């Protein structure tokens, strides 16, 4: 009887069934799409982060930059290139000077490498690696030979009469000067350690990666796209701080569309020696034994290294900028609220229609009670109808939602993401923002949004459909249970 | 056997209280056919509710067989309605989305009758009211008289001891009225029911063994 009556009611009152089901379907489709897009965006974010920070990195530790003290090499500050009187080589009246400097990025502070041991010693840390993030700036200049412009004492009257010697020399041959500044990022890392850190997330495209034996030697691994720009291949040499390094390998981000953390990778000890930052590092990458340990580790590291900025993956996610982060915000805010509102509206529609249905069927339920139907049987009937309406809505909603996801995946919108390369603190608006931002946001990548369909999303949708149906059914059933059997005798108005 | 003693039923209508039944004392033996007449608002339907275990009196007792309906809770009253009382209404009160056959089956649902039994008993009940061929029709596809026949089949399919009818011919034309009354009277005789019919119609009332008039909640026998 239950099934027959249920079937007849749903088929006999198609309009009501359709309205409740459509409301529910819309809400559930929206929940599915928002949920799926949200995990798609998260996926994209972790792709970007993984390429920059390394797959296994749960926590990064950097130093909060302090005001630089005079002559401190460990703090990125203004760069001076000083040339002595006899600097450079002079040919044909032109002196060319060149100086290469390896120093810490603006907004980045190097700190004692002992912090790595501190971090490694913390409970539940499974791996930790330290890197020194530097930038190599080469100043090239060409200026007129000093002897031609600076011939000695004041010009004599004769000289003045003939108008003096016209300026000559210099790159333009007329006493002018030309300067160029070229810079690229250099990351010093422990060549023995590839489990955690920036190089753990890259794939080798040519040559080899850094190995333990490379410690102390002048070898470099290059980001493949940088190598292309700089016209370098494996076997070439690249000059860092005036020292020639042999290019042994090229790497690219594991995901095709993201850049790697740095342009050039060299052994940590060599980087420290060349930059004069002996036993100094700028970042420590920490891998937790389990994701449940992250909070504890973060707290412990903060305790052990009070001057450090400690960031977890979720903090890092906020350092992803560009349209990817706008999409993330949009999904998180608008999408979440929109789906909640539509869901609430759908529940309300289901409840109101069920109540009005029960009111309309007052005499029907009164009659059933008058012929001996118990309250329980009537509540079951009403709840069953609402539940099935909800489920129909759920099934339609899942279909519409999946279709929506399919459309998004077919359209495959491209999002641009920027992630802080060396110092996440900078991108978070710390010191080094503004001017420093340009170098910090070097790793910009285009990510094609791919929206995954997960079983949990489907289960959530089914759960919501059941919940909505039961809620409406419970309220409608409660109303029906309060009807008196004598309603059956009420004269038909 | 009904035994009503000092049955009073009061309704609250906003601030004032209406006495629909006023100290009604009445006894109806099994198998009797009783007609109840009276002006609108006199208390006929209220009396039928007391007899049919739809509601409890404000005061007094309603004895049906061995049960005192005035003392029972909603559950047991429902049981009595399900087993012992058949109801026929002026407006037929069929479930509009269910077929004639299914409407009759609703009366068997609370009794735990097996599905095949339910189907055959409902079909037989429809047969006995002359609608054997109409089982698959929806109420809207039947005439008023046919709908009331379905309702009578629904009331009788559980084989109750009592059949209560509240103006069963009130919505029907004269010819159909006579057909329905013939049917009810025939079933009453055949099954030995206690049949209590509320009616405005003296032609209907004259068929009964006993006639009662209720006015202002007070019951009077008509000689
Ligand atoms: N559920 C109710 N609530 C309030 N008053 C009611 C209710 N049912 C009946 N009454 C009142 O009780 C009196 C008797 O009604 P009823 O038994 O329906 O009369 P009849 O069936 O003879 O027309 C009327 O005054 C009616 O207004
Ligand atoms: Mg009445």
């Amino acid at each position: 009887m239950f099934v027959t009556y249920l079937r007849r009611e749903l088929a006999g009152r198609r309009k009501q069934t359709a309205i409740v089901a459509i409301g529910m379907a819309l809400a559930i489709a929206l929940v599915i799409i928002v949920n799926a897009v949200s995990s798609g965006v998260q996926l994209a974010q972790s792709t970007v982060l993984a390429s920059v920070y390394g797959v296994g990195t749960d926590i990064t530790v950097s130093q909060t930059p302090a005001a630089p003290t005079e002559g401190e090499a460990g703090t990125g500050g203004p760069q001076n290139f000083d040339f002595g009187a006899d600097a450079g080589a002079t040919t044909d009246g032109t002196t060319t000077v060149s100086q290469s400097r390896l120093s810490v990025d603006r907004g980045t502070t190097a700190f004692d490498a002992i912090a790595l041991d501190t971090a490694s010693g913390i409970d539940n840390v499974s791996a930790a690696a330290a890197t020194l993030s530097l930038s190599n700036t080469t100043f090239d200049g060409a200026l007129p030979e000093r002897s031609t412009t600076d011939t000695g004492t004041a010009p004599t009257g004769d000289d003045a009469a003939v108008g003096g010697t016209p300026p000559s020399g210099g790159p333009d041959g007329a006493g002018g000067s030309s300067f160029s500044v070229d810079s690229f990022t250099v990351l010093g890392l422990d060549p023995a350690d590839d489990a955690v850190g920036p190089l753990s997330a890259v794939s080798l495209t040519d040559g080899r990666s850094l190995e333990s034996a490379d410690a102390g030697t002048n070898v470099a691994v290059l980001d493949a796209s940088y190598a292309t720009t700089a016209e370098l291949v494996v076997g070439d040499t690249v000059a860092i701080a005036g020292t020639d390094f042999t290019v042994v390998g090229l790497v690219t981000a594991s995901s095709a569309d993201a850049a790697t953390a740095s342009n050039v990778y060299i052994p940590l000890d060599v980087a420290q020696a060349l930059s004069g930052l002996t036993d100094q590092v700028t970042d420590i990458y920490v891998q937790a034994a389990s994701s449940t340990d992250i909070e504890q580790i973060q707290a412990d590291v903060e305790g052990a290294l009070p001057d450090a900025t400690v960031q977890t993956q979720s903090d890092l996610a906020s350092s992803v900028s560009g349209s990817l982060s706008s999409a993330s915000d949009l999904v998180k805010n608008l999408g979440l609220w929109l789906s909640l509102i539509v869901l609430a509206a759908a529940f309300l529609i289901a409840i109101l229609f069920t109540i009005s249905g029960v009111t309309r069927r007052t005499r029907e339920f009164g009659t059933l009670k008058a012929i001996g139907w118990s309250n329980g049987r009537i509540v079951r009937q009403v709840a069953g109808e609402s539940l099935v309406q909800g489920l129909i809505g759920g099934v339609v909603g899942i279909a519409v939602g999946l279709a929506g996801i399919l459309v998004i995946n077919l359209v495959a919108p491209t999002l641009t993401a920027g992630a802080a390369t060396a110092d996440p603190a900078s991108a978070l608006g710390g010191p080094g923002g503004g001017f420093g931002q340009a170098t910090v946001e070097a790793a910009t990548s285009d990510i094609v949004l791919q929206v995954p369909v997960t079983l949990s999303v489907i289960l959530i949708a089914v759960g919501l459909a059941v919940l909505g149906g039961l809620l409406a059914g419970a309220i409608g059933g409660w109303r029906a249970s309060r009807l008196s059997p004598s309603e059956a005798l009420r004269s038909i108005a | 056997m009904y035994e009503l003693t000092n049955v009073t039923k009061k309704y609250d209508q906003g601030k004032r209280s209406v006495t629909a039944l006023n100290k009604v004392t009445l006894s109806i033996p099994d198998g009797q056919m009783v007609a109840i007449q009276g002006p609108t608002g006199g208390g006929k339907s209220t009396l039928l509710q007391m007899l049919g275990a739809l509601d409890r009196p404000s005061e007094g007792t309603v004895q049906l067989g061995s049960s005192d309906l005035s003392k029972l809770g909603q559950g047991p009253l429902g049981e009595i309605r399900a087993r012992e009382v058949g109801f026929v209404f002026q407006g037929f009160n069929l479930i509009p989305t269910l077929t004639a056959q299914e409407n009759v089956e609703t009366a068997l649902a609370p009794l735990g009758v097996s599905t095949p039994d339910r189907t055959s008993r409902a079909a037989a009940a429809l047969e006995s009211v002359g609608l054997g061929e109409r089982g698959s029709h929806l109420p809207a596809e039947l005439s008023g008289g046919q709908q009331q026949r379905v309702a009578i089949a629904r009331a009788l399919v559980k084989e109750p001891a009592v059949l209560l009818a509240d103006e069963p011919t009130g919505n029907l034309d004269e010819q159909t009225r006579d057909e329905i009354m013939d049917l009810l009277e025939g079933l009453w005789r055949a099954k030995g029911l206690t049949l209590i019919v509320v009616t405005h119609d003296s032609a209907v009332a004259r068929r009964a063994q006993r006639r009662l008039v209720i006015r202002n909640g007070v019951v009077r026998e008509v000689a």
Side-chain angles (χ1 to χ4, degrees):
Chain A
M1 197 76 244
F2 173 78
V3 175
T4 311
Y5 192 12
L6 185 70
R7 213 159 31 100
R8 297 268 186 228
E9 275 304 313
L10 294 180
R13 302 182 201 269
R14 282 212 181 83
K15 221 193 212 156
Q16 150 137 9
T17 304
I19 290 172
V20 172
I22 287 171
M24 206 66 106
L26 272 177
I28 283 168
L30 202 67
V31 167
I32 288 181
I33 292 174
V34 166
N35 224 303
V37 168
S38 163
S39 42
V41 167
Q42 247 162 38
L43 219 63
Q45 275 185 328
S46 56
T47 308
V48 173
L49 288 174
S51 64
V52 175
Y53 297 105
V55 176
T57 304
D58 297 311
I59 294 171
T60 58
V61 181
S62 56
Q63 184 88 331
T64 315
T69 39
E70 192 69 30
E72 193 183 26
T75 303
Q79 299 201 334
N80 297 316
F81 290 92
D82 302 317
F83 295 97
D86 53 356
T90 304
T91 43
D92 299 335
T94 302
T95 304
T96 52
V97 290
S98 175
Q99 203 176 98
S100 205
R101 164 88 52 85
L102 191 58
S103 59
V104 169
D105 283 325
R106 264 175 186 254
T108 307
T109 307
F111 51 97
D112 202 313
I114 206 92
L116 176 61
D117 298 332
T118 313
S120 306
I122 282 166
D123 284 347
N124 299 319
V125 169
S126 70
T131 62
L132 182 59
S133 179
L134 302 166
S135 94
N136 183 81
T137 312
T138 305
F139 178 95
D140 283 303
L143 59 161
E145 187 184 351
R146 253 156 292 212
S147 56
T148 58
T149 54
D150 195 18
T151 32
T153 52
T156 61
D158 276 357
D159 284 340
V162 295
T165 318
S168 62
D172 59 354
S177 301
S178 154
F179 305 99
S180 75
V181 177
D182 177 45
S183 102
F184 55 87
T185 54
V186 177
L187 194 75
L189 39 73
D190 185 349
D193 202 345
D194 56 1
V196 62
L199 276 190
S200 61
V202 301
S203 28
L204 200 62
T205 54
D206 198 10
R208 62 174 181 84
S209 192
L210 292 180
E211 295 161 359
S212 314
D214 292 327
T217 63
N218 295 343
V219 293
V221 166
L222 267 54
D223 177 77
S225 30
Y226 173 72
T228 309
T229 326
E231 295 181 343
L232 290 167
V233 293
V234 170
D236 284 354
T237 56
V238 57
I240 301 168
T243 307
D244 280 345
F245 280 70
T246 311
V247 176
V248 294
L250 301 181
V251 292
T252 180
S254 300
S255 74
D257 20 47
T260 66
S262 180
N263 299 138
V264 178
Y265 301 87
I266 58 174
L268 179 61
D269 49 356
V270 180
Q272 287 168 335
L274 277 179
S275 59
L277 296 166
T278 316
D279 287 334
Q280 300 260 72
V281 294
T282 54
D283 299 275
I284 295 174
Y285 295 80
V286 178
Q287 188 178 35
S290 143
S291 60
T292 53
D293 301 327
I294 292 177
E295 268 184 56
Q296 165 252 315
I297 295 174
Q298 183 180 23
D300 288 357
V301 174
E302 277 167 350
L305 303 167
D307 290 338
T309 301
V310 182
Q311 287 183 302
T312 61
Q313 274 287 356
S314 55
D315 298 331
L316 295 177
S318 60
S319 75
V320 173
S321 57
S323 65
L324 174 58
S325 101
S326 317
S328 163
D329 290 347
L330 195 71
V331 168
K332 273 195 195 115
N333 301 323
L334 185 67
L336 182 71
W337 284 113
L338 192 65
S339 50
L340 278 181
I341 288 168
V342 173
L343 200 64
F347 278 22
L348 201 68
I349 287 173
I351 290 168
L352 290 180
F353 269 80
T354 306
I355 289 176
S356 91
V358 169
T359 309
R360 196 155 20 82
R361 290 159 75 189
T362 296
R363 199 156 70 105
E364 177 173 330
F365 293 131
T367 302
L368 288 170
K369 287 187 180 188
I371 67 172
W373 279 43
S374 65
N375 271 339
R377 187 178 289 273
I378 285 169
V379 170
R380 260 202 310 284
Q381 203 69 45
V382 172
E385 287 171 19
S386 293
L387 184 62
V388 173
Q389 282 170 347
L391 284 176
I392 293 172
V395 169
V396 174
I398 289 172
V400 172
L402 291 181
I405 291 173
L406 188 70
V407 167
I408 292 174
N409 282 339
L410 286 178
V411 171
T414 304
L415 300 171
T416 326
T421 48
D423 181 12
S426 305
L428 284 173
F435 178 74
Q437 207 85 26
T439 48
V440 159
E441 272 191 26
T444 300
S445 31
D446 286 339
I447 300 264
V448 173
L449 183 66
Q450 283 301 304
V451 178
V453 177
T454 56
L455 187 65
S456 66
V457 167
I458 306 286
L459 290 181
I460 288 172
V462 172
L464 286 174
V466 170
L467 183 72
L470 282 182
L471 202 65
I475 294 172
W478 173 74
R479 296 273 295 212
S481 75
R482 281 165 43 104
L483 294 174
S484 157
S486 53
E487 294 292 349
L489 287 179
R490 282 274 167 87
S491 53
I492 335 113
Chain B
M1 175 80 175
Y2 275 111
E3 204 72 65
L4 280 69
T5 315
N6 281 324
V7 171
T8 295
K9 180 67 183 179
K10 289 180 179 152
Y11 289 112
D12 287 330
Q13 284 185 346
K15 281 195 175 117
R16 63 197 193 99
S17 165
V18 175
T19 305
L21 290 178
N22 193 359
K23 296 206 169 91
V24 173
T25 298
L26 182 68
S27 139
I28 302 172
D30 284 342
Q32 197 168 52
M33 178 174 172
V34 182
I36 299 175
Q37 287 180 281
T40 300
K44 305 183 294 293
S45 295
T46 306
L47 178 62
L48 221 54
Q49 285 175 39
M50 300 300 129
L51 297 172
L54 297 185
D55 206 350
R56 277 177 303 228
S58 312
E59 287 161 40
T61 58
V62 179
Q63 193 81 30
L64 171 59
S66 57
S67 322
D68 182 354
L69 305 185
S70 65
K71 303 275 187 300
L72 295 179
Q74 282 307 326
L77 283 181
E79 286 275 306
I80 287 178
R81 294 198 294 268
R83 298 184 186 283
E84 310 202 16
V85 182
F87 248 111
V88 176
F89 311 92
Q90 179 176 2
F92 322 136
N93 293 19
L94 298 178
I95 312 298
T97 54
L98 296 181
T99 64
Q101 165 83 19
E102 288 157 359
N103 262 288
V104 176
E105 288 183 27
T106 57
L108 296 175
L111 298 177
V113 178
S114 73
T115 308
D117 251 18
R118 207 168 63 201
T119 312
S120 60
R121 279 174 69 176
L126 277 178
E127 194 71 57
S128 73
V129 298
L131 287 178
E133 315 283 87
R134 300 295 166 109
S136 60
H137 288 234
L138 289 174
E141 298 163 352
L142 299 172
S143 71
Q146 287 171 326
Q147 288 188 51
Q148 196 60 301
R149 283 165 188 267
V150 175
I152 291 168
R154 177 178 65 184
L156 293 179
V157 71
K158 59 186 154 192
E159 294 171 352
V162 181
L163 181 60
L164 304 174
D166 194 0
E167 307 196 31
T169 58
N171 284 11
L172 301 174
D173 61 48
E174 235 168 77
Q175 196 201 322
T176 318
R177 175 197 72 188
D178 292 341
E179 282 172 22
I180 292 295
M181 282 315 298
D182 287 346
L183 176 65
L184 283 175
E185 217 180 310
L187 290 166
W188 164 65
R189 277 186 214 287
K191 295 181 189 279
L193 296 162
T194 303
L195 175 59
I196 301 169
V197 184
V198 168
T199 183
H200 267 114
D201 192 330
S202 294
V204 171
R206 271 195 294 275
R207 294 173 175 240
Q209 291 176 313
R210 181 180 173 193
R211 291 164 73 178
L212 301 173
V213 174
I214 305 186
R215 185 165 285 143
N216 296 326
V218 178
V219 174
R220 188 169 51 83
E221 300 268 353
V222 176

